[in-house]
Amino acid sequence: MPLVTKQGFQPTPEITYVLVEEIGAANQASLAVSVPSDTDAAVLAPHLEKIALIGIDFPSFADGRGFSIALRLRRLGFEGELRARGYLISDQYPHAMACGFDTVEIDDEMAERQPYEQWKAATEKVLPPYRVKRAG
Amino acid sequence: MYRYDEFDAAYVKNRVKNFREQVNRRIDGSLTEDEFKPLRLMNGLYLQLHAYMLRVAIPYGTLNSRQMRTLAMIATKYDKGYGHLTTRQNIQYNWPALKDVPDILDDLADVEMHAIQTSGNCIRNVTADHFAGAAADEIEDPRPTAEIVRQWSTEHPEFLYLPRKFKVAVTGSPNDRAVTKAHDIGLRMLRNNAGEPGYEVIVGGGLGRSPFVGKVVRDFLPKADLLPYLEAILRVYNLQGRRDNKYKARIKILVHETGTDELRAMIEEEFAKMDGPSIALDPSEIERIENYFAPPQFSDLPAESVALSAAKAADAEFATWVDVNTDAHKQSGYTIVTVSAKAIGEAPGDLTTAQMNVIADLAEQYSHDELRISHEQNAILPHVKLDDLPAVHAALVEAGLATANANLISDIIACPGLDYCALATARSIPVAQDIQRRFSDPVRAKAIGEFKIKISGCINACGHHHVGHVGILGLEKAGIENYQITLGGDHTETTAIGDRAGPGFSFEQVGPAIERLVDAYISLRADESERFIDTYRRLGLEPFKAALYNEEKEAA
């Protein structure tokens, strides 16, 4: 499974994710939590200090819920890594980043079909005026 | 009128380049057909029954003569010499070749136009009152608000993959000409008790197979809170809207299933958590946008025009057109002209290249270079001197654009229907044409008065049939077209969904049924000032139902 990062495709390290309801029982400090696309971000609020990585599931690239979940998690103060997992296309990479994601986990077929140049090119597109003005 | 700054210009030009690349990536296999589809839809390219259709945005219906001439040029160069005005203030080209589409988008970008987000499950082209900036009854020009919403919603990273399409409309007048209560979000500009400007926010209106009148979620939203509040509504919808069934995915269903109070609480909770100033535009930027919509330099004119009175006295046909197709302007000595794109027997909303050029010329010469496109599929010259009406009328007559039928029975809204649309179950345009021919006498049409017929060729209701005084819905039963008639719909600030009259009619039966309905109305109305919709509200469905189904009388 390749991982799309700002530095290029990297192999995804083996990670054991826990589910939201398992967080309470988990003892270690830097947890990786797997979050389905119908999750209310607020349920993670009490646990954010224990979490190093949150992987938000995209069952389909046409399902935009993960963008709003990521945004809410950032607003709650989560400073760890946010990873989009499942099905995103390179055209969505800048949108994912703008909503607070750091990385995107894709499958081998997607990595072959849409090589890193396409992901990088997507981040170099001209932004819409409102975004430019808000950023400035 | 709004003018692009360097950011707008750079974005729209690059967007065309990006779309060219996406087309190439589809061809080289980088994108699958499923993946390419939302990308092309978000650039206005829709697959129709016979060919691709390109839907070009006319944001809040405002354009100038140069833009209109470009639309005319595109119709000739890339299409079959005409374009179709839509109920969302867009123009559609029905026959572009896929290979030409990036070139068309480039031509549009040259005149500060685009086809961005005119389709797809995203925030669509924002619409507004087509008399914006001109109407005598206007509290405030809705276009700066619409432009701000356009900028905010363009490629909003969070809201490009919503459960379903999302439509916003704005009105700055208490007389709602923007159908705000039938939109996903309707914004009505008003003042609070302290005189401060703001919005009434309406959510969850919509037509389609489950029509709903929108519900007020905020009685008064201060202007400065506009974008944060919209963002709160969209976030709640993006997370909570149904994705299991596309027919239940619009926000109207979420409002209906969740309840207005509960949904309002969810929106307010989200809004309370937001960092408003990080979302709202800077006051200086808002001012920049507002300045573009400053009124043109009007002349100081008397309220009455001697030249107009003389011309009306000399020409009865002209007098009728003036009475029917002009509306009160806020500036003394000026008027608003509705250019009818509903000539008898023509497809409602279609304009030829030559007609578009005539309208552009008239806008340049007589209307401070401004035009509007209405959701009722007509063009508007918003700032015409009363003194100039005879000259404007003469030019419109030459171009076949002077039909005196604004708001009358032949000013029919009709979707493209089975003649073009892949979704349609029945024809719309021929039904409209048949009714137009039956009421082609302008004197008779004027005597009938305001009479809003709206026709959809399928349950998706692009022709707004639910809110027509008379709505006609074309369905298909066992391979035969069948038309259901609804009565008593209303698209204004008193929005109402029409009542279904009874069993459907065949294609041939629709026209005679409408004639019987009109005859019944004429005999039942209290006086000539009582509109059909008023008589309907006074008497109810029964007498009109009896007339619709009383075929024996017809035969006798």
Side-chain angles (χ1 to χ4, degrees), chain A residues 68 71 75 130-131, chain B residues 123 152 156 158-159 185 225-238 267 270-271 274 278-280:
Chain A
S68 289
L71 222 132
R75 192 175 64 198
Y130 170 82
R131 303 286 137 201
Chain B
I123 304 170
W152 162 81
H156 193 300
E158 189 183 351
F159 304 133
I185 292 180
D225 291 339
L226 173 68
L227 294 184
Y229 199 81
L230 293 186
E231 199 145 312
I233 296 171
L234 264 295
R235 185 163 303 140
V236 168
Y237 170 59
N238 190 35
I267 293 166
E270 181 63 32
F271 177 64
M274 279 181 158
S278 75
I279 297 164

PDB file of all heavy atoms in Angstrom, chain A residues 68 71 75 130-131, chain B residues 123 152 156 158-159 185 225-238 267 270-271 274 278-280:
ATOM      1  N   SER A  68     -15.105  16.678   6.083  1.00  0.00           N
ATOM      2  CA  SER A  68     -15.689  17.399   7.219  1.00  0.00           C
ATOM      3  C   SER A  68     -15.214  16.804   8.556  1.00  0.00           C
ATOM      4  O   SER A  68     -14.999  17.537   9.523  1.00  0.00           O
ATOM      5  CB  SER A  68     -17.222  17.358   7.149  1.00  0.00           C
ATOM      6  OG  SER A  68     -17.707  18.161   6.089  1.00  0.00           O
ATOM      7  N   LEU A  71     -11.755  18.168   9.226  1.00  0.00           N
ATOM      8  CA  LEU A  71     -11.810  19.564   9.638  1.00  0.00           C
ATOM      9  C   LEU A  71     -12.240  19.710  11.094  1.00  0.00           C
ATOM     10  O   LEU A  71     -11.682  20.510  11.852  1.00  0.00           O
ATOM     11  CB  LEU A  71     -12.802  20.276   8.717  1.00  0.00           C
ATOM     12  CG  LEU A  71     -12.331  21.631   8.279  1.00  0.00           C
ATOM     13  CD1 LEU A  71     -12.484  21.788   6.790  1.00  0.00           C
ATOM     14  CD2 LEU A  71     -13.120  22.675   9.019  1.00  0.00           C
ATOM     15  N   ARG A  75     -10.188  21.176  14.349  1.00  0.00           N
ATOM     16  CA  ARG A  75     -10.762  22.239  15.184  1.00  0.00           C
ATOM     17  C   ARG A  75     -10.769  21.842  16.655  1.00  0.00           C
ATOM     18  O   ARG A  75     -10.653  22.675  17.547  1.00  0.00           O
ATOM     19  CB  ARG A  75     -12.181  22.546  14.707  1.00  0.00           C
ATOM     20  CG  ARG A  75     -12.748  23.819  15.330  1.00  0.00           C
ATOM     21  CD  ARG A  75     -14.091  24.166  14.751  1.00  0.00           C
ATOM     22  NE  ARG A  75     -15.073  23.141  15.054  1.00  0.00           N
ATOM     23  CZ  ARG A  75     -16.221  23.011  14.406  1.00  0.00           C
ATOM     24  NH1 ARG A  75     -16.533  23.821  13.418  1.00  0.00           N
ATOM     25  NH2 ARG A  75     -17.064  22.055  14.734  1.00  0.00           N
ATOM     26  N   TYR A 130     -11.155  32.969  -3.357  1.00  0.00           N
ATOM     27  CA  TYR A 130     -11.504  33.040  -1.928  1.00  0.00           C
ATOM     28  C   TYR A 130     -10.420  32.381  -1.082  1.00  0.00           C
ATOM     29  O   TYR A 130     -10.040  32.885  -0.030  1.00  0.00           O
ATOM     30  CB  TYR A 130     -12.866  32.367  -1.709  1.00  0.00           C
ATOM     31  CG  TYR A 130     -13.230  32.164  -0.265  1.00  0.00           C
ATOM     32  CD1 TYR A 130     -13.787  33.195   0.493  1.00  0.00           C
ATOM     33  CD2 TYR A 130     -13.025  30.930   0.357  1.00  0.00           C
ATOM     34  CE1 TYR A 130     -14.127  33.002   1.821  1.00  0.00           C
ATOM     35  CE2 TYR A 130     -13.354  30.721   1.680  1.00  0.00           C
ATOM     36  CZ  TYR A 130     -13.911  31.765   2.418  1.00  0.00           C
ATOM     37  OH  TYR A 130     -14.240  31.564   3.736  1.00  0.00           O
ATOM     38  N   ARG A 131      -9.899  31.247  -1.566  1.00  0.00           N
ATOM     39  CA  ARG A 131      -8.840  30.536  -0.807  1.00  0.00           C
ATOM     40  C   ARG A 131      -7.579  31.384  -0.750  1.00  0.00           C
ATOM     41  O   ARG A 131      -6.912  31.447   0.272  1.00  0.00           O
ATOM     42  CB  ARG A 131      -8.499  29.205  -1.472  1.00  0.00           C
ATOM     43  CG  ARG A 131      -9.649  28.255  -1.643  1.00  0.00           C
ATOM     44  CD  ARG A 131     -10.078  27.589  -0.353  1.00  0.00           C
ATOM     45  NE  ARG A 131     -11.524  27.585  -0.311  1.00  0.00           N
ATOM     46  CZ  ARG A 131     -12.269  27.455   0.784  1.00  0.00           C
ATOM     47  NH1 ARG A 131     -11.701  27.314   1.958  1.00  0.00           N
ATOM     48  NH2 ARG A 131     -13.569  27.496   0.723  1.00  0.00           N
TER      49      ARG A 131
ATOM     50  N   ILE B 123     -21.971  22.647  -4.674  1.00  0.00           N
ATOM     51  CA  ILE B 123     -22.761  23.878  -4.590  1.00  0.00           C
ATOM     52  C   ILE B 123     -22.831  24.483  -5.992  1.00  0.00           C
ATOM     53  O   ILE B 123     -21.818  24.812  -6.582  1.00  0.00           O
ATOM     54  CB  ILE B 123     -22.149  24.868  -3.587  1.00  0.00           C
ATOM     55  CG1 ILE B 123     -22.014  24.206  -2.209  1.00  0.00           C
ATOM     56  CG2 ILE B 123     -23.004  26.134  -3.506  1.00  0.00           C
ATOM     57  CD1 ILE B 123     -21.210  25.020  -1.208  1.00  0.00           C
ATOM     58  N   TRP B 152     -16.979  31.972  -2.435  1.00  0.00           N
ATOM     59  CA  TRP B 152     -16.759  31.048  -1.311  1.00  0.00           C
ATOM     60  C   TRP B 152     -16.991  29.586  -1.732  1.00  0.00           C
ATOM     61  O   TRP B 152     -16.254  28.690  -1.341  1.00  0.00           O
ATOM     62  CB  TRP B 152     -17.704  31.432  -0.163  1.00  0.00           C
ATOM     63  CG  TRP B 152     -17.911  30.373   0.862  1.00  0.00           C
ATOM     64  CD1 TRP B 152     -17.087  30.053   1.912  1.00  0.00           C
ATOM     65  CD2 TRP B 152     -19.024  29.464   0.958  1.00  0.00           C
ATOM     66  NE1 TRP B 152     -17.624  29.024   2.638  1.00  0.00           N
ATOM     67  CE2 TRP B 152     -18.807  28.650   2.078  1.00  0.00           C
ATOM     68  CE3 TRP B 152     -20.187  29.281   0.203  1.00  0.00           C
ATOM     69  CZ2 TRP B 152     -19.704  27.648   2.462  1.00  0.00           C
ATOM     70  CZ3 TRP B 152     -21.073  28.285   0.581  1.00  0.00           C
ATOM     71  CH2 TRP B 152     -20.832  27.486   1.697  1.00  0.00           C
ATOM     72  N   HIS B 156     -14.795  24.800  -3.136  1.00  0.00           N
ATOM     73  CA  HIS B 156     -14.669  24.695  -1.680  1.00  0.00           C
ATOM     74  C   HIS B 156     -14.185  23.279  -1.367  1.00  0.00           C
ATOM     75  O   HIS B 156     -14.878  22.313  -1.669  1.00  0.00           O
ATOM     76  CB  HIS B 156     -16.015  24.971  -1.012  1.00  0.00           C
ATOM     77  CG  HIS B 156     -15.893  25.192   0.469  1.00  0.00           C
ATOM     78  ND1 HIS B 156     -15.381  24.236   1.317  1.00  0.00           N
ATOM     79  CD2 HIS B 156     -16.162  26.266   1.250  1.00  0.00           C
ATOM     80  CE1 HIS B 156     -15.371  24.705   2.552  1.00  0.00           C
ATOM     81  NE2 HIS B 156     -15.827  25.944   2.533  1.00  0.00           N
ATOM     82  N   GLU B 158     -14.067  21.309   1.026  1.00  0.00           N
ATOM     83  CA  GLU B 158     -14.845  20.396   1.884  1.00  0.00           C
ATOM     84  C   GLU B 158     -16.157  19.968   1.223  1.00  0.00           C
ATOM     85  O   GLU B 158     -16.710  18.921   1.580  1.00  0.00           O
ATOM     86  CB  GLU B 158     -15.134  21.114   3.219  1.00  0.00           C
ATOM     87  CG  GLU B 158     -15.747  20.249   4.300  1.00  0.00           C
ATOM     88  CD  GLU B 158     -16.061  21.047   5.568  1.00  0.00           C
ATOM     89  OE1 GLU B 158     -15.643  22.226   5.663  1.00  0.00           O
ATOM     90  OE2 GLU B 158     -16.728  20.492   6.448  1.00  0.00           O
ATOM     91  N   PHE B 159     -16.649  20.753   0.278  1.00  0.00           N
ATOM     92  CA  PHE B 159     -18.028  20.546  -0.193  1.00  0.00           C
ATOM     93  C   PHE B 159     -18.136  20.223  -1.684  1.00  0.00           C
ATOM     94  O   PHE B 159     -19.071  20.657  -2.354  1.00  0.00           O
ATOM     95  CB  PHE B 159     -18.873  21.786   0.143  1.00  0.00           C
ATOM     96  CG  PHE B 159     -18.858  22.144   1.602  1.00  0.00           C
ATOM     97  CD1 PHE B 159     -18.644  23.460   2.008  1.00  0.00           C
ATOM     98  CD2 PHE B 159     -19.047  21.173   2.580  1.00  0.00           C
ATOM     99  CE1 PHE B 159     -18.632  23.802   3.360  1.00  0.00           C
ATOM    100  CE2 PHE B 159     -19.032  21.501   3.939  1.00  0.00           C
ATOM    101  CZ  PHE B 159     -18.821  22.818   4.328  1.00  0.00           C
ATOM    102  N   ILE B 185     -30.833  26.240  -0.082  1.00  0.00           N
ATOM    103  CA  ILE B 185     -30.769  27.398   0.814  1.00  0.00           C
ATOM    104  C   ILE B 185     -31.351  28.591   0.069  1.00  0.00           C
ATOM    105  O   ILE B 185     -30.959  28.876  -1.061  1.00  0.00           O
ATOM    106  CB  ILE B 185     -29.327  27.727   1.249  1.00  0.00           C
ATOM    107  CG1 ILE B 185     -28.759  26.628   2.160  1.00  0.00           C
ATOM    108  CG2 ILE B 185     -29.290  29.079   2.004  1.00  0.00           C
ATOM    109  CD1 ILE B 185     -27.331  26.877   2.629  1.00  0.00           C
ATOM    110  N   ASP B 225     -22.155  37.349   9.312  1.00  0.00           N
ATOM    111  CA  ASP B 225     -22.134  35.916   9.635  1.00  0.00           C
ATOM    112  C   ASP B 225     -22.485  35.029   8.446  1.00  0.00           C
ATOM    113  O   ASP B 225     -22.579  33.808   8.590  1.00  0.00           O
ATOM    114  CB  ASP B 225     -23.130  35.629  10.769  1.00  0.00           C
ATOM    115  CG  ASP B 225     -22.667  36.220  12.091  1.00  0.00           C
ATOM    116  OD1 ASP B 225     -21.452  36.476  12.231  1.00  0.00           O
ATOM    117  OD2 ASP B 225     -23.524  36.424  12.977  1.00  0.00           O
ATOM    118  N   LEU B 226     -22.683  35.626   7.286  1.00  0.00           N
ATOM    119  CA  LEU B 226     -23.189  34.858   6.143  1.00  0.00           C
ATOM    120  C   LEU B 226     -22.373  33.595   5.860  1.00  0.00           C
ATOM    121  O   LEU B 226     -22.894  32.482   5.876  1.00  0.00           O
ATOM    122  CB  LEU B 226     -23.222  35.743   4.884  1.00  0.00           C
ATOM    123  CG  LEU B 226     -23.582  35.012   3.589  1.00  0.00           C
ATOM    124  CD1 LEU B 226     -25.039  34.543   3.631  1.00  0.00           C
ATOM    125  CD2 LEU B 226     -23.352  35.887   2.368  1.00  0.00           C
ATOM    126  N   LEU B 227     -21.080  33.763   5.563  1.00  0.00           N
ATOM    127  CA  LEU B 227     -20.295  32.594   5.146  1.00  0.00           C
ATOM    128  C   LEU B 227     -20.104  31.567   6.274  1.00  0.00           C
ATOM    129  O   LEU B 227     -20.249  30.365   6.023  1.00  0.00           O
ATOM    130  CB  LEU B 227     -18.954  33.022   4.547  1.00  0.00           C
ATOM    131  CG  LEU B 227     -19.056  33.813   3.227  1.00  0.00           C
ATOM    132  CD1 LEU B 227     -17.672  34.094   2.664  1.00  0.00           C
ATOM    133  CD2 LEU B 227     -19.910  33.088   2.202  1.00  0.00           C
ATOM    134  N   PRO B 228     -19.805  31.993   7.501  1.00  0.00           N
ATOM    135  CA  PRO B 228     -19.720  30.978   8.554  1.00  0.00           C
ATOM    136  C   PRO B 228     -21.024  30.195   8.719  1.00  0.00           C
ATOM    137  O   PRO B 228     -20.999  28.973   8.922  1.00  0.00           O
ATOM    138  CB  PRO B 228     -19.410  31.794   9.822  1.00  0.00           C
ATOM    139  CG  PRO B 228     -18.795  33.056   9.334  1.00  0.00           C
ATOM    140  CD  PRO B 228     -19.388  33.321   7.976  1.00  0.00           C
ATOM    141  N   TYR B 229     -22.149  30.891   8.602  1.00  0.00           N
ATOM    142  CA  TYR B 229     -23.432  30.197   8.780  1.00  0.00           C
ATOM    143  C   TYR B 229     -23.693  29.219   7.629  1.00  0.00           C
ATOM    144  O   TYR B 229     -24.140  28.084   7.837  1.00  0.00           O
ATOM    145  CB  TYR B 229     -24.579  31.204   8.899  1.00  0.00           C
ATOM    146  CG  TYR B 229     -25.813  30.611   9.533  1.00  0.00           C
ATOM    147  CD1 TYR B 229     -25.912  30.483  10.912  1.00  0.00           C
ATOM    148  CD2 TYR B 229     -26.871  30.156   8.752  1.00  0.00           C
ATOM    149  CE1 TYR B 229     -27.034  29.916  11.500  1.00  0.00           C
ATOM    150  CE2 TYR B 229     -27.998  29.590   9.324  1.00  0.00           C
ATOM    151  CZ  TYR B 229     -28.079  29.481  10.704  1.00  0.00           C
ATOM    152  OH  TYR B 229     -29.195  28.914  11.280  1.00  0.00           O
ATOM    153  N   LEU B 230     -23.390  29.652   6.403  1.00  0.00           N
ATOM    154  CA  LEU B 230     -23.548  28.729   5.261  1.00  0.00           C
ATOM    155  C   LEU B 230     -22.643  27.519   5.438  1.00  0.00           C
ATOM    156  O   LEU B 230     -23.024  26.379   5.164  1.00  0.00           O
ATOM    157  CB  LEU B 230     -23.208  29.442   3.944  1.00  0.00           C
ATOM    158  CG  LEU B 230     -24.131  30.559   3.466  1.00  0.00           C
ATOM    159  CD1 LEU B 230     -23.709  31.032   2.081  1.00  0.00           C
ATOM    160  CD2 LEU B 230     -25.585  30.123   3.457  1.00  0.00           C
ATOM    161  N   GLU B 231     -21.421  27.781   5.911  1.00  0.00           N
ATOM    162  CA  GLU B 231     -20.479  26.674   6.105  1.00  0.00           C
ATOM    163  C   GLU B 231     -21.015  25.684   7.155  1.00  0.00           C
ATOM    164  O   GLU B 231     -20.869  24.469   7.012  1.00  0.00           O
ATOM    165  CB  GLU B 231     -19.108  27.224   6.516  1.00  0.00           C
ATOM    166  CG  GLU B 231     -17.993  26.231   6.296  1.00  0.00           C
ATOM    167  CD  GLU B 231     -16.679  26.877   5.863  1.00  0.00           C
ATOM    168  OE1 GLU B 231     -16.669  27.717   4.941  1.00  0.00           O
ATOM    169  OE2 GLU B 231     -15.648  26.504   6.441  1.00  0.00           O
ATOM    170  N   ALA B 232     -21.668  26.220   8.197  1.00  0.00           N
ATOM    171  CA  ALA B 232     -22.253  25.344   9.219  1.00  0.00           C
ATOM    172  C   ALA B 232     -23.359  24.477   8.616  1.00  0.00           C
ATOM    173  O   ALA B 232     -23.420  23.266   8.868  1.00  0.00           O
ATOM    174  CB  ALA B 232     -22.793  26.183  10.375  1.00  0.00           C
ATOM    175  N   ILE B 233     -24.223  25.085   7.814  1.00  0.00           N
ATOM    176  CA  ILE B 233     -25.311  24.314   7.183  1.00  0.00           C
ATOM    177  C   ILE B 233     -24.723  23.217   6.287  1.00  0.00           C
ATOM    178  O   ILE B 233     -25.120  22.050   6.351  1.00  0.00           O
ATOM    179  CB  ILE B 233     -26.231  25.224   6.333  1.00  0.00           C
ATOM    180  CG1 ILE B 233     -26.945  26.248   7.209  1.00  0.00           C
ATOM    181  CG2 ILE B 233     -27.252  24.383   5.562  1.00  0.00           C
ATOM    182  CD1 ILE B 233     -27.691  27.324   6.405  1.00  0.00           C
ATOM    183  N   LEU B 234     -23.740  23.608   5.477  1.00  0.00           N
ATOM    184  CA  LEU B 234     -23.165  22.642   4.530  1.00  0.00           C
ATOM    185  C   LEU B 234     -22.434  21.511   5.257  1.00  0.00           C
ATOM    186  O   LEU B 234     -22.474  20.362   4.817  1.00  0.00           O
ATOM    187  CB  LEU B 234     -22.221  23.357   3.558  1.00  0.00           C
ATOM    188  CG  LEU B 234     -22.794  23.789   2.197  1.00  0.00           C
ATOM    189  CD1 LEU B 234     -23.203  22.586   1.359  1.00  0.00           C
ATOM    190  CD2 LEU B 234     -23.975  24.728   2.340  1.00  0.00           C
ATOM    191  N   ARG B 235     -21.753  21.827   6.373  1.00  0.00           N
ATOM    192  CA  ARG B 235     -21.036  20.773   7.095  1.00  0.00           C
ATOM    193  C   ARG B 235     -22.014  19.777   7.694  1.00  0.00           C
ATOM    194  O   ARG B 235     -21.807  18.561   7.604  1.00  0.00           O
ATOM    195  CB  ARG B 235     -20.133  21.376   8.184  1.00  0.00           C
ATOM    196  CG  ARG B 235     -19.270  20.312   8.876  1.00  0.00           C
ATOM    197  CD  ARG B 235     -18.108  20.931   9.631  1.00  0.00           C
ATOM    198  NE  ARG B 235     -17.305  21.728   8.723  1.00  0.00           N
ATOM    199  CZ  ARG B 235     -16.764  22.917   9.033  1.00  0.00           C
ATOM    200  NH1 ARG B 235     -16.910  23.407  10.254  1.00  0.00           N
ATOM    201  NH2 ARG B 235     -16.062  23.578   8.151  1.00  0.00           N
ATOM    202  N   VAL B 236     -23.086  20.294   8.288  1.00  0.00           N
ATOM    203  CA  VAL B 236     -24.101  19.388   8.845  1.00  0.00           C
ATOM    204  C   VAL B 236     -24.674  18.515   7.726  1.00  0.00           C
ATOM    205  O   VAL B 236     -24.805  17.301   7.866  1.00  0.00           O
ATOM    206  CB  VAL B 236     -25.219  20.192   9.557  1.00  0.00           C
ATOM    207  CG1 VAL B 236     -26.413  19.298   9.870  1.00  0.00           C
ATOM    208  CG2 VAL B 236     -24.683  20.839  10.830  1.00  0.00           C
ATOM    209  N   TYR B 237     -24.962  19.134   6.595  1.00  0.00           N
ATOM    210  CA  TYR B 237     -25.531  18.364   5.473  1.00  0.00           C
ATOM    211  C   TYR B 237     -24.524  17.356   4.938  1.00  0.00           C
ATOM    212  O   TYR B 237     -24.864  16.193   4.686  1.00  0.00           O
ATOM    213  CB  TYR B 237     -25.978  19.325   4.373  1.00  0.00           C
ATOM    214  CG  TYR B 237     -26.355  18.633   3.087  1.00  0.00           C
ATOM    215  CD1 TYR B 237     -27.370  17.682   3.061  1.00  0.00           C
ATOM    216  CD2 TYR B 237     -25.689  18.919   1.898  1.00  0.00           C
ATOM    217  CE1 TYR B 237     -27.719  17.036   1.884  1.00  0.00           C
ATOM    218  CE2 TYR B 237     -26.035  18.277   0.715  1.00  0.00           C
ATOM    219  CZ  TYR B 237     -27.043  17.338   0.718  1.00  0.00           C
ATOM    220  OH  TYR B 237     -27.376  16.693  -0.441  1.00  0.00           O
ATOM    221  N   ASN B 238     -23.271  17.766   4.782  1.00  0.00           N
ATOM    222  CA  ASN B 238     -22.258  16.858   4.230  1.00  0.00           C
ATOM    223  C   ASN B 238     -22.114  15.613   5.103  1.00  0.00           C
ATOM    224  O   ASN B 238     -21.953  14.503   4.601  1.00  0.00           O
ATOM    225  CB  ASN B 238     -20.916  17.588   4.109  1.00  0.00           C
ATOM    226  CG  ASN B 238     -19.881  16.795   3.331  1.00  0.00           C
ATOM    227  OD1 ASN B 238     -20.218  16.092   2.375  1.00  0.00           O
ATOM    228  ND2 ASN B 238     -18.630  16.885   3.734  1.00  0.00           N
ATOM    229  N   ILE B 267     -27.291  22.932  13.304  1.00  0.00           N
ATOM    230  CA  ILE B 267     -26.621  23.997  12.552  1.00  0.00           C
ATOM    231  C   ILE B 267     -26.072  25.051  13.520  1.00  0.00           C
ATOM    232  O   ILE B 267     -24.918  25.477  13.412  1.00  0.00           O
ATOM    233  CB  ILE B 267     -27.602  24.649  11.543  1.00  0.00           C
ATOM    234  CG1 ILE B 267     -27.986  23.649  10.459  1.00  0.00           C
ATOM    235  CG2 ILE B 267     -26.991  25.908  10.929  1.00  0.00           C
ATOM    236  CD1 ILE B 267     -29.201  24.073   9.626  1.00  0.00           C
ATOM    237  N   GLU B 270     -23.003  23.841  15.384  1.00  0.00           N
ATOM    238  CA  GLU B 270     -21.813  23.891  14.529  1.00  0.00           C
ATOM    239  C   GLU B 270     -21.350  25.342  14.348  1.00  0.00           C
ATOM    240  O   GLU B 270     -20.156  25.647  14.442  1.00  0.00           O
ATOM    241  CB  GLU B 270     -22.144  23.263  13.165  1.00  0.00           C
ATOM    242  CG  GLU B 270     -20.989  23.213  12.180  1.00  0.00           C
ATOM    243  CD  GLU B 270     -19.825  22.349  12.648  1.00  0.00           C
ATOM    244  OE1 GLU B 270     -20.055  21.341  13.358  1.00  0.00           O
ATOM    245  OE2 GLU B 270     -18.681  22.704  12.325  1.00  0.00           O
ATOM    246  N   PHE B 271     -22.317  26.212  14.117  1.00  0.00           N
ATOM    247  CA  PHE B 271     -22.004  27.632  13.905  1.00  0.00           C
ATOM    248  C   PHE B 271     -21.314  28.234  15.133  1.00  0.00           C
ATOM    249  O   PHE B 271     -20.341  28.993  15.009  1.00  0.00           O
ATOM    250  CB  PHE B 271     -23.304  28.379  13.578  1.00  0.00           C
ATOM    251  CG  PHE B 271     -23.138  29.862  13.411  1.00  0.00           C
ATOM    252  CD1 PHE B 271     -22.371  30.380  12.377  1.00  0.00           C
ATOM    253  CD2 PHE B 271     -23.751  30.755  14.293  1.00  0.00           C
ATOM    254  CE1 PHE B 271     -22.213  31.756  12.218  1.00  0.00           C
ATOM    255  CE2 PHE B 271     -23.597  32.123  14.138  1.00  0.00           C
ATOM    256  CZ  PHE B 271     -22.823  32.630  13.103  1.00  0.00           C
ATOM    257  N   MET B 274     -17.609  27.701  15.366  1.00  0.00           N
ATOM    258  CA  MET B 274     -16.760  28.156  14.263  1.00  0.00           C
ATOM    259  C   MET B 274     -15.981  29.401  14.603  1.00  0.00           C
ATOM    260  O   MET B 274     -16.433  30.230  15.385  1.00  0.00           O
ATOM    261  CB  MET B 274     -17.641  28.456  13.056  1.00  0.00           C
ATOM    262  CG  MET B 274     -17.976  27.196  12.342  1.00  0.00           C
ATOM    263  SD  MET B 274     -18.958  27.597  10.940  1.00  0.00           S
ATOM    264  CE  MET B 274     -18.617  26.152  10.007  1.00  0.00           C
ATOM    265  N   SER B 278     -12.315  33.778  10.526  1.00  0.00           N
ATOM    266  CA  SER B 278     -11.408  33.076   9.610  1.00  0.00           C
ATOM    267  C   SER B 278     -12.131  32.611   8.349  1.00  0.00           C
ATOM    268  O   SER B 278     -11.502  32.164   7.396  1.00  0.00           O
ATOM    269  CB  SER B 278     -10.774  31.874  10.317  1.00  0.00           C
ATOM    270  OG  SER B 278     -11.710  30.825  10.428  1.00  0.00           O
ATOM    271  N   ILE B 279     -13.461  32.693   8.364  1.00  0.00           N
ATOM    272  CA  ILE B 279     -14.246  32.235   7.208  1.00  0.00           C
ATOM    273  C   ILE B 279     -14.842  33.411   6.437  1.00  0.00           C
ATOM    274  O   ILE B 279     -14.841  33.416   5.207  1.00  0.00           O
ATOM    275  CB  ILE B 279     -15.374  31.285   7.690  1.00  0.00           C
ATOM    276  CG1 ILE B 279     -14.743  30.041   8.344  1.00  0.00           C
ATOM    277  CG2 ILE B 279     -16.277  30.880   6.532  1.00  0.00           C
ATOM    278  CD1 ILE B 279     -15.700  29.247   9.182  1.00  0.00           C
ATOM    279  N   ALA B 280     -15.333  34.413   7.165  1.00  0.00           N
ATOM    280  CA  ALA B 280     -15.946  35.572   6.499  1.00  0.00           C
ATOM    281  C   ALA B 280     -14.893  36.307   5.672  1.00  0.00           C
ATOM    282  O   ALA B 280     -13.700  36.247   5.968  1.00  0.00           O
ATOM    283  CB  ALA B 280     -16.544  36.509   7.544  1.00  0.00           C
TER     284      ALA B 280
END
